[in-house]
Each structure stands twice: as structure tokens, then as C-alpha cells.
Amino acid sequence: SSGMTIVRQTVENLNGSVELDSRLGEGTIFTIKLPLTLAIIQAMVFEVGKRIFAIPLSNVVEAIRIRPDQISVVGNREVFELRSEIVNLLRPYDILGIPQPSASNKKLSVIVVHSSDRKLVGILADQLLEKEELVIKSLDNKIMRSDITSSASKLGDGKVVLILDVPALLQRAFG
């Protein structure tokens, strides 16, 4: 059946296997084997320049929208204020190797995360998609892997999501 085909395809995508053992008049035993390295995380999924990324919810403080006029420059960093706390703004385009869109005056989507020293950082996103449960697959593929993306997942529609390593991303951005 097509349902079984989908199950088999999904399991095989995860490097697992599906075995069927049917006996007439007795029934069918399905055995699904999955690698132990599989992990499921809750993540905030968002778009930057038509590519889809995710940040584990364990790193996320909240998702907000801000107006461009709420951003100011202190030293050589862009910051904004969130409940009287100063938050560094990170535009991830260069780090992710994605062209930055031309400035617009509409509200900006920002994912607020905490850095290792518990300071807040706002990561700018073109669009927030949703919170999802993602099955993590480690990236063996050299093209996909970098110091800021060590794992990936697939959305229901088959699109690949790169899961960002927040500490590494912040390290790259702010040194």
C-alpha cells in the first residue's frame, strides 16, 4: 500500500530498515529497525534567503518582531532593546553565505537566543516558519557540514533544514 511505501521510505531515509513477516490466517509482523544515533529535537524553523534553518528550542528565549527604527548602533554592533535589556542583533546572511536582502521598513522577525554568558542575541530571519519536532541526521556530507551546521533534518514536504549550532554561530559572529 502507499502508506507502507511512505513508512518504508521514511525509515530508509533514516538509515533504518522495515521487515514484513506475513502468515496466512495469522497476521503480519512489522519489524522497524532504526539507528540509535537518531535524536528528535524541538526547534524553531525559519527562512533566510530562501533557505531553511532551525535552532533548537533549548537555545531560544522567544521570537519577536521589531521595527527597523528600534535598531541602533553601539560601537560597531547593531543592538535593540528588549524589556530594558540590550540585545545584540545578528544578521546571519554573510555567515550563512546568503545575499542580504535590500533594507525594507517593514517589521523584522528576530529569534532571541541566549549566548554562553547568558547575554541575549537576536538572530534576524526573513521569515519565521513554525516550531517543529525534527529528527536529526548527522551530516557526513562535506558540502553541507560546516562548523555552524552539524546536523540536518527534513520537513514534511521534503525540504532539507540545516540545524544551526547556536554557540558556534555566535562565536563566528562576535568572536
Side-chain angles (χ1 to χ4, degrees):
S1 73
S2 64
M4 197 57 224
T5 310
I6 292 168
V7 169
R8 170 164 280 167
Q9 189 61 57
T10 304
V11 169
E12 285 173 357
N13 284 346
L14 301 171
N15 298 325
S17 65
V18 179
E19 290 164 22
L20 297 177
D21 184 13
S22 286
R23 299 216 172 120
L24 198 59
E26 286 182 33
T28 304
I29 295 173
F30 293 88
T31 307
I32 296 178
K33 294 180 180 168
L34 291 169
L36 279 175
T37 54
L38 227 51
I40 294 178
I41 60 158
Q42 298 239 310
M44 173 73 73
V45 180
F46 60 99
E47 211 172 88
V48 175
K50 304 280 177 270
R51 287 178 53 198
I52 302 174
F53 297 93
I55 289 178
L57 275 188
S58 55
N59 295 121
V60 175
V61 178
E62 65 188 294
I64 57 168
R65 294 175 68 87
I66 60 171
R67 297 184 316 277
D69 64 17
Q70 290 173 266
I71 300 171
S72 40
V73 178
V74 175
N76 54 1
R77 296 228 171 110
E78 287 185 296
V79 298
F80 62 95
E81 200 171 307
L82 179 65
R83 291 186 294 280
S84 73
E85 190 167 349
I86 297 293
V87 180
N88 278 318
L89 183 68
L90 165 56
R91 295 180 187 263
Y93 305 97
D94 292 349
I95 299 172
L96 300 176
I98 291 169
Q100 186 154 337
S102 51
S104 78
N105 50 16
K106 61 179 207 275
K107 282 198 164 177
L108 305 168
S109 298
V110 176
I111 300 165
V112 180
V113 299
H114 32 220
S115 59
S116 51
D117 54 6
R118 308 308 284 176
K119 281 203 172 62
L120 296 180
V121 175
I123 300 173
L124 192 61
D126 293 344
Q127 195 183 350
L128 296 178
L129 300 177
E130 61 238 352
K131 296 187 175 97
E132 291 250 3
E133 286 202 332
L134 298 176
V135 177
I136 296 184
K137 300 162 90 171
S138 61
L139 295 175
D140 307 322
N141 185 334
K142 297 284 182 282
I143 304 161
M144 304 275 271
R145 185 170 45 200
S146 78
D147 56 340
I148 53 173
T149 57
S150 55
S151 55
S153 186
K154 270 190 184 156
L155 295 180
D157 60 9
K159 289 196 178 102
V160 172
V161 187
L162 291 177
I163 299 166
L164 296 176
D165 177 333
V166 171
L169 181 71
L170 300 183
Q171 176 65 38
R172 176 88 77 83
F174 302 115

